[in-house]
Amino acid sequence: MKHIVIIGGGIAGIETASALTDAGHWVTVIEKDTRVGGKLNNWSYLFPDFTPAEKIAESLLEKCREKDFSILPDTEVKAIIRNQDKFNIHTSGNQNLEADAIVLATGYELFDARRKEEYGYKIYDQVVTSADLEQLLRPGESLTVAAGKNPKRIAFVHCVGSRDEKTGNHYCSKVCCITGVKQAIELKKRLPEAEIFCFYMDLRMYGKHFEELYREAQEKYDIQFIRGRLSEASEKIDKSLLIKAEDTLSGRPLKMNVDLLVLLVGMEAGKGTASAAFSCGVNCEESGFLKSMDSLLRSNISQQEGIFLAGSCTAPMSLNDTLLHARSAAIEVNNYLKKSIK
Amino acid sequence: MKEFGYTIIKQRTIDYDQFNGRLLNEILLMEPSFKVCLSCGGCTATCSAGDLVNFNIRRMNLLLRRGETAELESEIQKCMLCGKCMLVCPRGINLRNVIMLIKKNISRNKTTKY
Ligand SMILES: Cc1cc2nc3c(=O)[nH]c(=O)nc-3n(C[C@H](O)[C@H](O)[C@H](O)COP(=O)(O)OP(=O)(O)OC[C@H]3O[C@@H](n4cnc5c(N)ncnc54)[C@H](O)[C@@H]3O)c2cc1C
Ligand code: SF4
Ligand code: SF4
Ligand code: SF4
């Protein structure tokens, strides 16, 4: 029996593990966190259809229970040594694993919004990130601003830490546009009185049902979209925020007072991905995400033989795309192992 | 005869065939960073001159790109060259240099159109 070690137990890692177990292999998942599930554990309702994140997380756990693969929680990789066509993996838990193939599924990290100082995250009380908002949108949480009042006017800022030379992230994080639409709708459902604005540079509704959701946001929830990038936010005495942008479609500078500012933070490859890649000699792109052999036919195959890539450690992607990428990684691993039997 | 007022509408079609790109090309050659402007308006939102008078630096860029040099020449004088716009530009464009180049080269390159 062939042994495959998967590093990272998010959606990508678990889906790959599950598919490879089905294919008759022995699989071990190394997860640095206590729980598997990755970022999904922090989200409330998921685009494009508002499925509760808990439901998806639960079905993931179900897979872990019913299939016979092992999970090593609270564990990181210390060193990986190639030994002919096998790998010796030394973990932080002082275990030594021998693997025939490795899959990196280390995911992404959120952009640290404090780096865009002009938006005032962690300086002004009423500035939150989209990740913070996911927590606030969970059942049982309440959304109030200073003096316990409901926010009357809320603005979303697109492309925070993405498409921005100043932060060194040139790429588009792909899911934050639709995340903004999703969250704006969620907020409007809870706060029907509130006015909600999205400040965007381009709206990227690339996926199935995304454009429809955008339309629904306009039609049913009166969300307003303004094309212009925020230059700055400043706090007033009553803790509300004054934001500045250009309304580029009317060609005039715009000022607005809001009670809550939501920063749609982008994705970065992050330390977890960098350290795993470093330990096995896998290359990163300029963006920090992992480099595959090519981006069309071999997006799951790293430049190191026997090491494969799955999910958002290769590029920003939605859950849907992550699942597909994970399954195709499993096919590639399977093909590789079959070849090496001969 | 009824006056429909058609005559007071000046021609607003951008006639690209009449476009003389000399000034634009000169500037792009000397400050290539200007090629990647995505018209986000961050510069206009923060502009010191725009705070005081009716001035839209993003639109200046567009005028240049469409060869509308007459309006550009008078408008660009409003810029105070403070450089604030460059602090927010997500594409890292050296806008101050672009403005300097416009000021320096515009009279030589004026097009008669518009
Ligand atoms: C605010 C926000 C809202 C979102 N909402 C949605 C939504 O509604 N619908 C949707 O489809 N998508 C949504 N997404 C995208 C979604 O989060 C990703 O598609 C998904 O998390 C990608 O899964 P992954 O397994 O590739 O990565 P991750 O979820 O990041 O999982 C990676 C796992 O690997 C572990 N790991 C990392 N490094 C190491 C290491 N060195 N050793 C061991 N373990 C390691 C991590 O602890 C983590 O458990 C949202 C994203 C954001 C930012
Ligand atoms: S998905 Fe939208 S908000 Fe996110 S980086 Fe791309 S354009 Fe910006
Ligand atoms: S340099 Fe000119 S265009 Fe830029 S912010 Fe200052 S006044 Fe405005
Ligand atoms: S901030 Fe930069 S990219 Fe945005 S409109 Fe101004 S010059 Fe163009």
Side-chain angles (χ1 to χ4, degrees), chain A residues 1-176:
Chain A
M1 206 181 205
K2 297 281 183 180
H3 185 211
I4 302 140
V5 167
I6 297 179
I7 305 176
I11 301 280
I14 300 301
E15 190 67 14
T16 314
S18 151
L20 284 169
T21 311
D22 287 346
H25 302 293
W26 165 34
V27 181
T28 305
V29 177
I30 296 178
E31 168 56 57
K32 72 175 158 69
D33 215 354
T34 313
R35 289 201 289 174
V36 296
K39 304 294 177 302
L40 180 68
N41 294 326
N42 305 323
W43 306 156
S44 56
Y45 300 90
L46 302 170
F47 63 76
D49 62 0
F50 298 96
T51 309
E54 272 172 19
K55 204 171 140 193
I56 306 291
E58 184 45 44
S59 68
L60 211 66
L61 289 178
E62 189 65 40
K63 266 186 189 166
C64 298
R65 279 192 295 265
E66 79 192 19
K67 301 205 175 163
D68 223 4
F69 57 84
S70 2
I71 295 170
L72 302 176
D74 298 311
T75 305
E76 272 183 80
V77 169
K78 278 242 153 122
I80 299 178
I81 296 150
R82 193 189 281 275
N83 187 357
Q84 281 163 4
D85 52 359
K86 291 201 185 289
F87 298 95
N88 291 322
I89 300 165
H90 185 63
T91 71
S92 58
N94 258 333
Q95 285 152 304
N96 286 305
L97 310 172
E98 194 185 64
D100 298 284
I102 293 176
V103 181
L104 298 183
T106 43
Y108 65 96
E109 273 168 31
L110 293 162
F111 172 77
D112 180 355
R114 282 175 303 188
R115 280 166 60 198
K116 287 299 285 178
E117 225 181 296
E118 60 269 41
Y119 295 156
Y121 184 61
K122 299 275 182 203
I123 303 175
Y124 308 136
D125 295 346
Q126 301 309 324
V127 183
V128 299
T129 67
S130 44
D132 300 335
L133 188 61
E134 288 287 329
Q135 300 287 332
L136 295 170
L137 289 170
R138 301 198 130 215
E141 294 285 343
S142 71
L143 254 167
T144 47
V145 294
K149 280 191 295 220
N150 280 340
K152 282 208 192 69
R153 196 188 268 162
I154 302 161
F156 283 82
V157 189
H158 287 236
C159 306
V160 177
S162 316
R163 306 181 67 199
D164 183 6
E165 167 118 1
K166 297 288 190 297
T167 60
N169 296 338
H170 295 257
Y171 54 86
C172 160
S173 290
K174 209 174 164 190
V175 304
C176 17

Side-chain angles (χ1 to χ4, degrees), chain B residues 4-103:
Chain B
F4 287 106
Y6 290 136
T7 48
I8 60 161
I9 298 170
K10 65 174 172 173
Q11 199 226 322
R12 285 318 298 151
T13 313
I14 297 171
D15 188 352
Y16 220 84
D17 298 336
Q18 297 293 320
F19 172 35
N20 176 355
R22 233 168 63 210
L23 178 60
L24 175 64
N25 290 335
E26 258 181 39
I27 289 173
L28 290 182
L29 206 67
M30 288 182 275
E31 188 49 69
S33 71
F34 184 51
K35 287 183 189 174
V36 295
C37 171
L38 39 68
S39 250
C40 70
C43 48
T44 298
T46 199
C47 175
S48 321
D51 256 355
L52 307 167
V53 291
N54 188 7
F55 172 62
N56 183 336
I57 178 61
R58 181 190 57 83
R59 214 172 135 259
M60 293 306 103
N61 300 340
L62 228 55
L63 291 176
L64 177 63
R65 284 177 182 279
R66 301 291 177 262
E68 301 194 28
T69 39
E71 190 182 344
L72 184 62
E73 187 175 23
S74 57
E75 282 293 298
I76 203 76
Q77 309 305 335
K78 296 179 184 167
C79 165
M80 319 190 299
L81 292 171
C82 70
K84 232 176 122 192
C85 48
M86 291 167 56
L87 297 176
V88 303
C89 178
R91 282 285 169 89
I93 298 169
N94 188 342
L95 265 177
R96 199 157 44 178
N97 195 30
V98 173
I99 295 161
M100 295 284 277
L101 290 169
I102 296 177
K103 286 189 164 182

Side-chain angles (χ1 to χ4, degrees), chain A residues 208-245:
Chain A
K208 189 172 172 177
H209 300 314
F210 291 9
E211 182 65 22
E212 288 85 338
L213 203 63
Y214 166 35
R215 190 188 162 123
E216 195 178 323
Q218 295 178 292
E219 214 167 22
K220 204 167 148 195
Y221 296 97
D222 296 321
I223 314 292
Q224 299 187 58
F225 293 83
I226 298 181
R227 189 185 179 282
R229 186 178 176 83
L230 232 66
S231 66
E232 65 234 55
S234 49
E235 196 178 56
K236 310 228 296 202
I237 307 168
D238 65 355
K239 298 274 179 195
S240 71
L241 300 156
L242 182 69
I243 57 174
K244 285 170 83 177

